[in-house]
Amino acid sequence: MRAETQNIIEAIEKSLELLRQRMDWETAAHRLEEFNARTEDPDLWNDPAKAQGLMRERQMLVDKIETVKSIQQDLSDNVELIELGEMEDDAEVVAEAEKALAALEESAAKKELEALLNGETDPNDAFLEIKAGAGGTEACDWASMLARMYVRWAEKRGFEVDLQEEQAGAEAGIKSVTYQIKGHNAYGWLKSESGTHRLVRISPFGKGTRETSFAAVGAYPVIDDNIEVEVNPADIRIDTYRSSGAGGQHVNTTDSAVRITHMPTGIVVTSSEKSQHQNRDIAMKALKSRLYQMELDRRNAEVNALHEAKGDAGWGNQIRSYVLQPYQMVKDLRTNFETADTKGVLDGDLDAFMAATLAMDVAGKSRADANAED
């Protein structure tokens, strides 16, 4: 067996080992038996919310067990094919099995990363906010480019994207936009994107000069019924107003848009769907998500690298730079991961950046630690 193939096999085995460790493989079968016993309780569905939560937990465990078994089986099958092919001097069989192993290595590595998304709200849907920062019209245009980038990323993953609120720029682009991204682990992936994003390019607005623009991105988990966040009615102000989108597919004109202001923190959330009742519900969920995230950040201030660079959307606070002129480069300043494929990134190819940040956070490194190693 070729040395390169042996290295791939070892990499897959390492991923399997880490997957088993993350899910406590030795107790997995016993925990599944317990879940199965609880689902057979005739009184389970007397509390639908609790029952749904239990079923979700059970299914997540089933998925993890099946993932490990599937990778292990595919590994064994292809190793056996290679050995048989070599015995029979069948180069075609060996080549096909080696190709399958290379694909399996990539798949196992992705599953290994996903296994690291084990925070309380990592599996949840996410609210994603994008706001133009320093740079005027240029920044508003940059904010719209980021919005397109994240929508493309979400669509590639099969996630559902719902526009919650959008404020058009005075001349071009958007001042702000909020989406709800729906899909398994949506927040777990998007949380690494919170911070200031910097763009360097030649101005597309007839100036012909190189311009630097900033936009702030914030990701917050959608809080489900299993997590309680209390909001004192006396602490909020609810306003209704007429709102209209920037045009195109986001046209949205209604007299029932809702804005909720949380006075103790200054948090403002809005929703512009057609139903005022629906808007109140969405906006309240968004507010609870923001308050929950603030509490998480407060608890983990000394180790939380995800939001440490958020600050104002301007010089000195960026987490990632996108340079389109005089050269092509996107670089994350926390992990030092970079690529020259700027077009791919702006079309939503963000997984490598998210994975690098996730791996760094799991390793317990701060942004300063990562930069110090550069």
Side-chain angles (χ1 to χ4, degrees):
M1 189 176 297
R2 295 190 306 138
E4 182 181 351
T5 302
Q6 188 60 49
N7 290 337
I8 291 175
I9 292 171
E10 291 175 0
I12 297 171
E13 289 175 340
K14 182 180 178 182
S15 291
L16 277 170
E17 180 183 355
L18 291 173
L19 283 170
R20 293 189 184 100
Q21 289 178 358
R22 298 298 295 187
M23 66 178 294
D24 193 4
W25 181 257
E26 298 301 323
T27 67
H30 177 66
R31 283 182 284 132
L32 182 57
E33 289 178 1
E34 290 182 340
F35 273 125
N36 290 338
R38 292 169 66 185
T39 59
E40 294 173 1
D41 184 348
D43 297 327
L44 174 64
W45 290 95
N46 291 343
D47 186 341
K50 183 178 179 180
Q52 290 173 2
L54 176 66
M55 297 302 290
R56 279 198 302 270
E57 286 186 60
R58 178 191 175 278
Q59 190 57 49
M60 288 173 63
L61 179 58
V62 169
D63 291 344
K64 290 176 182 178
I65 292 173
E66 290 181 349
T67 293
V68 169
K69 289 183 176 180
S70 176
I71 294 173
Q72 182 64 68
Q73 188 63 54
D74 287 346
L75 175 61
S76 299
D77 289 347
N78 284 292
V79 168
E80 184 176 345
L81 278 175
I82 290 174
E83 292 173 346
L84 286 173
E86 290 177 341
M87 288 175 59
E88 298 176 4
D89 198 23
D90 191 333
E92 185 176 347
V93 169
V94 172
E96 288 182 1
E98 287 179 340
K99 183 178 179 180
L101 279 178
L104 183 61
E105 178 189 19
E106 184 178 344
S107 175
K110 288 182 179 179
K111 293 297 183 181
E112 179 186 334
L113 272 173
E114 289 178 3
L116 300 177
L117 296 173
N118 61 351
E120 183 178 24
T121 55
D122 282 353
N124 292 22
D125 298 339
F127 287 111
L128 183 71
E129 294 183 349
I130 303 168
K131 296 182 179 179
T137 299
E138 298 277 354
C140 289
D141 187 56
W142 172 222
S144 69
M145 291 170 65
L146 283 174
R148 175 184 177 277
M149 179 181 76
Y150 286 114
V151 169
R152 288 289 185 89
W153 172 83
E155 289 174 345
K156 288 179 179 181
R157 281 189 164 266
F159 291 167
E160 181 181 344
V161 180
D162 290 343
L163 176 68
Q164 302 297 312
E165 179 271 340
E166 184 178 87
Q167 184 178 3
E171 299 179 19
I174 54 176
K175 290 183 180 178
S176 66
V177 65
T178 302
Y179 296 107
Q180 184 173 351
I181 312 295
K182 299 179 180 179
H184 182 60
N185 283 334
Y187 174 67
W189 288 114
L190 285 169
K191 66 183 180 183
S192 66
E193 296 300 293
S194 288
T196 298
H197 296 242
R198 169 178 174 257
L199 173 69
V200 180
R201 62 173 173 174
I202 297 297
S203 172
F205 298 102
K207 300 178 183 179
T209 56
R210 192 169 69 186
E211 299 288 335
T212 300
S213 309
F214 299 91
V217 174
Y220 310 94
V222 175
I223 305 304
D224 56 31
D225 294 335
N226 294 324
I227 300 175
E228 294 185 6
V229 178
E230 293 186 5
V231 177
N232 187 342
D235 289 340
I236 62 175
R237 184 178 72 246
I238 301 178
D239 301 305
T240 59
Y241 62 98
R242 182 178 179 83
S243 174
S244 60
Q249 64 177 346
H250 294 325
V251 168
N252 185 10
T253 302
T254 174
D255 293 314
S256 60
V258 171
R259 176 188 296 113
I260 298 180
T261 303
H262 187 252
M263 291 175 285
T265 62
I267 292 174
V268 178
V269 293
T270 60
S271 181
S272 306
E273 298 292 333
K274 294 181 180 179
S275 163
Q276 188 172 119
H277 176 76
Q278 182 182 19
N279 285 332
R280 284 175 179 262
D281 181 59
I282 292 173
M284 186 59 72
K285 285 183 178 179
L287 174 60
K288 289 182 177 180
S289 295
R290 293 283 298 274
L291 292 173
Y292 180 80
Q293 185 66 49
M294 286 182 66
E295 176 61 17
L296 285 182
D297 289 348
R298 184 191 67 78
R299 293 180 194 172
N300 304 293
E302 64 280 356
V303 296
N304 190 337
L306 299 180
H307 295 270
E308 67 179 356
K310 200 162 181 189
D312 294 327
W315 288 103
N317 296 315
Q318 61 266 22
I319 63 167
R320 189 176 301 151
S321 289
Y322 305 70
V323 181
L324 306 184
Q325 185 69 28
Y327 55 89
Q328 303 277 314
M329 181 67 68
V330 180
K331 181 174 182 177
D332 195 288
L333 303 180
R334 299 162 297 180
T335 63
N336 292 317
F337 181 85
E338 62 184 43
T339 178
D341 183 17
T342 56
K343 184 180 185 301
V345 171
L346 293 174
D347 277 338
D349 294 341
L350 295 169
D351 285 359
F353 285 94
M354 294 177 176
T357 305
L358 177 61
M360 181 189 74
D361 291 329
V362 170
K365 293 181 181 179
S366 67
R367 179 182 176 184
D369 293 334
N371 288 337
E373 292 178 2
D374 187 25

